[in-house]
Amino acid sequence: MTVLVLLDHEAGAIRQASRSAVTAALTLGDVHALVTGDASVAAAAAKIPGVAQVLHATDAGSAHDLAEPLAALIAALAGDYSHVVAASGATAKNVLPRAAALLDVQPIPDVVSILDADSFVRPIYAGSALATVKSSDAKKVLTVRAAHFDPAPAEGGNAAVRDVTAPEAPVLSEFVSIERSKSERPELDSARIVVSGGRGMQNEENFKLLNPLADRLGAAIGASRAAVDAGFVPNDYQVGQTGKIVAPELYIAVGISGAIQHLAGMKDSKVIVAINKDPEAPIFQVADYGLVADLFEALPQIEAALDSAE
Amino acid sequence: MKVLVPVKRVVDHNVKIRVKSDGSGVDVANVKMSMNPFDEISVEEALRLKEAGVASEVIVVSIGPAKVEDVLRTALAMGADRAILVETEDKTEPLAVAKILKGVAEAERPGLIIAGKQAIDDDSNQTGQMLSALLGWPQATFASKLEIAEGAAIVTREVDGGLQVIGVTLPAVVTTDLRLNSPRYASLPNIMKAKKKPLERKTPADFGVDTTPRLKVLKTEEPEVRKAGIKVKSVAELVEKLKTHAGLI
């Protein structure tokens, strides 16, 4: 069996989450990778060990990952493949269901475990239950949760690159602009450590108090929905059922109560630390280490403790 | 232009669900049900388009057992003009739902379909994309801002790492994200009025759709429960634990 994996990229590099999708796909068969973007992206994809061939989508619509041409391309290519796989991210969630409908296939989202070629485990109800499903479709279209598969290395492979273009079709959509949140920190969904703030941070200015700790730990910064809704940070910081799903080695929740919707996005983290002044906050039920304290006193103390320990 | 809004009746987002002990599924008997939160946002956006004179009529549609009439009445009480209930006892997957909605769209010919980005029960995030594919329409998913101008929609989308703006020709399918708006509450007089608004009943067979699931659920189980943690007494102890015990920092 050969599997087609849609790889997502950022600034010319293949995203770590997509390299996790390669690992997942390799359990199903040989892997061909589909990439958009310029030639450097295709070259980066060709270096991932395990990728046997790179298909490089070169037309204008594909350049901005517009759903209509990209889904049409995937549907056109799918004939040669048993499975179409991608990491669960904004691009894949946008494009893969569209491609699946064109193929008359019911896609399987957010797979956390692959049992065999037809059977998969996926969370439902904000991660409160795990469903094992068996697909009767001839072709399987799935997205995988990157946190549950180790990323394939970025270097070491040497695959051939072949150009592909979407089938001719009326242009239905156009790219206007993109506004990227600027950040020097690691990407939220692949960071080893995540420091997240919630409503308890009180305002945008105070939220920045998390920066020194995150910088020191090399951590990404996340947020609860309350913090995003209140305008402390942009939307793409949101961790939870409707934001990003993360599973870092260490997740530090600061001033986050721990609503079901937030836990859905981080409860697979290896070690969870909660800092909250309310001893009854639900976050303490999932925290490995909980500290009942005022975060405004605790944060500087943590930095001081890290300083003195060095 | 008509706006069509699909809404789903789901377990209320505040309910902590239980998995049935025989692994056959989630126990949804006797739990509070309500309109999927993203669908409330969709209804709200459609109503705002009507209030702005862009939309002429807002039609809500739901698929499921007779009880889904509740959420349709809620949408009517918010201000939707009429409702369509596609009645079925079958569990419908997004592909089947998209096919039924395609049938509804072909009958109603809306200029715009506004759906939620995902339902909080199956967490699929697929129906809007699949519906637009089946109709051959463009899609604008995860919308946090929507403007309609001369046969096109300009939509700001929440993507990984920022906000993307795209333009799509109408008719189109838009799926709503949390930040698009704050849905209104239905007032008591409007809830009373909603009882008299038209509600048409259909079945999947009316649209020639076979709802047989493509995915067979082999079992449903509780996720592994995290081992109980400890409460540390001081910052010093916390840092010490993370350093020595967990070896993380």
Side-chain angles (χ1 to χ4, degrees):
Chain A
M1 284 190 294
T2 311
V3 181
L4 183 66
V5 182
L6 173 65
L7 300 181
D8 202 3
H9 57 90
E10 175 109 21
I14 303 299
R15 299 184 62 208
Q16 184 181 319
S18 286
R19 289 192 278 115
S20 292
V22 170
T23 301
L26 282 166
T27 66
L28 293 162
D30 297 332
V31 169
H32 289 184
L34 174 63
V35 290
T36 60
D38 59 30
S40 67
V41 180
K47 289 195 191 116
I48 299 174
V51 172
Q53 190 179 100
V54 174
L55 310 182
H56 181 210
T58 54
D59 56 312
S62 302
H64 297 294
D65 295 337
L66 291 172
E68 298 80 14
L70 196 47
L73 172 62
I74 292 169
L77 294 170
D80 299 334
Y81 299 97
S82 60
H83 297 73
V84 179
V85 178
S88 295
T91 306
K93 286 179 179 172
N94 189 37
V95 173
L96 250 53
R98 187 175 181 100
L102 298 174
L103 295 163
D104 193 29
V105 163
Q106 170 58 47
I108 306 134
D110 295 315
V111 167
V112 296
S113 175
I114 296 173
L115 303 181
D116 57 43
D118 312 313
S119 307
F120 311 91
V121 181
R122 62 168 306 250
I124 52 174
Y125 288 90
S128 302
L130 291 171
T132 303
V133 297
K134 187 179 171 72
S135 169
S136 62
D137 283 318
K139 213 171 278 302
K140 278 72 177 172
V141 176
L142 53 140
T143 58
V144 298
R145 286 262 175 98
H148 292 262
F149 301 90
D150 293 330
E155 304 278 343
N158 184 24
V161 178
R162 176 160 73 92
D163 284 353
V164 290
T165 49
E168 283 290 325
V171 174
L172 299 170
S173 62
E174 61 169 1
F175 170 84
V176 177
S177 63
I178 187 148
E179 184 189 322
R180 295 199 180 277
S181 310
K182 289 180 192 68
S183 175
E184 300 296 313
R185 296 201 173 78
E187 275 193 69
L188 190 50
D189 52 10
S190 53
R192 201 174 82 63
I193 301 178
V194 174
V195 178
S196 276
R199 197 195 305 271
M201 300 307 299
Q202 295 181 350
N203 58 47
E204 190 180 344
E205 209 45 49
N206 286 346
F207 204 94
K208 295 187 183 133
L209 296 173
L210 296 178
N211 293 352
L213 180 61
D215 288 341
R216 178 179 292 276
L217 298 175
I221 292 189
S224 69
R225 181 182 163 188
V228 172
D229 282 351
F232 304 169
V233 283
N235 310 339
D236 52 314
Y237 281 62
Q238 188 180 330
V239 172
Q241 183 184 18
T242 62
K244 295 207 168 69
I245 312 285
V246 301
E249 287 178 34
L250 174 61
Y251 188 92
I252 305 179
V254 185
I256 293 177
S257 65
I260 299 170
Q261 290 77 13
H262 184 74
L263 300 184
M266 45 65 80
K267 69 181 172 152
D268 289 327
S269 304
K270 210 158 281 168
V271 173
I272 297 173
V273 170
I275 301 169
N276 203 301
K277 64 181 175 192
D278 175 9
E280 303 300 319
I283 191 78
F284 287 119
Q285 290 163 21
V286 300
D288 299 278
Y289 302 110
L291 176 66
V292 180
D294 184 333
L295 66 96
F296 296 107
E297 286 165 25
L299 281 174
Q301 285 174 17
I302 292 173
E303 283 157 42
L306 288 169
D307 277 340
S308 66
E310 264 170 13
Chain B
M1 138 177 120
K2 289 189 206 174
V3 179
L4 182 68
V5 182
V7 297
K8 186 176 186 182
R9 182 175 185 264
V10 298
V11 170
D12 188 86
H13 68 280
N14 284 317
V15 172
K16 176 96 183 73
I17 62 106
R18 272 177 211 290
V19 174
K20 289 186 199 165
S21 52
D22 64 358
S24 63
V26 168
D27 191 0
V28 293
N30 307 316
V31 300
K32 188 182 176 216
M33 305 290 279
S34 52
M35 194 192 301
N36 180 44
F38 289 97
D39 302 342
E40 292 182 348
I41 294 169
S42 306
V43 173
E44 175 65 35
E45 196 65 16
L47 295 175
R48 290 185 188 189
L49 289 176
K50 191 179 172 194
E51 285 156 4
V54 175
S56 54
E57 188 183 29
V58 175
I59 307 155
V60 288
V61 53
S62 193
I63 300 162
K67 286 176 186 162
V68 303
E69 182 172 340
D70 307 350
V71 296
L72 288 171
R73 292 291 172 201
T74 303
L76 293 170
M78 286 171 74
D81 297 294
R82 60 187 169 90
I84 300 166
L85 192 170
V86 182
E87 207 171 323
T88 173
E89 291 295 329
D90 297 344
K91 271 209 174 308
T92 44
E93 291 173 343
L95 178 62
V97 169
K99 287 179 178 177
I100 294 167
L101 293 175
K102 175 181 185 250
V104 174
E106 281 167 351
E108 296 289 345
R109 305 191 152 275
L112 185 66
I113 299 175
I114 307 179
K117 93 163 172 185
Q118 77 189 62
I120 60 164
D121 51 2
D122 66 14
D123 282 330
S124 287
N125 196 330
Q126 295 170 344
T127 303
Q129 296 89 314
M130 299 182 89
L131 173 59
S132 53
L134 297 176
L135 287 165
W137 292 3
Q139 67 185 51
T141 52
F142 328 145
S144 59
K145 192 175 172 198
L146 168 65
E147 293 167 289
I148 306 289
E150 309 198 3
I154 305 296
V155 182
T156 303
R157 305 179 55 232
E158 297 196 4
V159 296
D160 295 335
L163 296 170
Q164 183 198 47
V165 182
I166 61 168
V168 294
T169 58
L170 297 180
V173 176
V174 172
T175 76
T176 58
D177 216 321
L178 283 173
R179 249 67 59 178
L180 184 61
N181 61 46
S182 299
R184 69 194 65 186
Y185 292 101
S187 66
L188 187 59
N190 286 345
I191 292 170
M192 301 310 289
K193 266 187 242 164
K195 292 183 177 171
K196 296 203 176 71
K197 284 188 179 174
L199 184 141
E200 188 182 356
R201 284 169 203 275
K202 296 276 192 185
T203 68
D206 293 337
F207 305 103
V209 175
D210 174 6
T211 55
T212 310
R214 304 288 184 88
L215 303 181
K216 187 179 172 201
V217 179
L218 302 179
K219 66 173 171 188
T220 308
E221 56 199 329
E222 299 260 6
E224 224 173 284
V225 181
R226 287 189 78 94
K227 220 169 54 186
I230 56 162
K231 284 218 176 105
V232 293
K233 291 189 177 60
S234 67
V235 164
E237 190 188 347
L238 174 64
V239 171
E240 210 266 328
K241 288 278 183 208
L242 290 178
K243 265 189 190 307
T244 56
H245 189 225
L248 286 162
I249 56 175

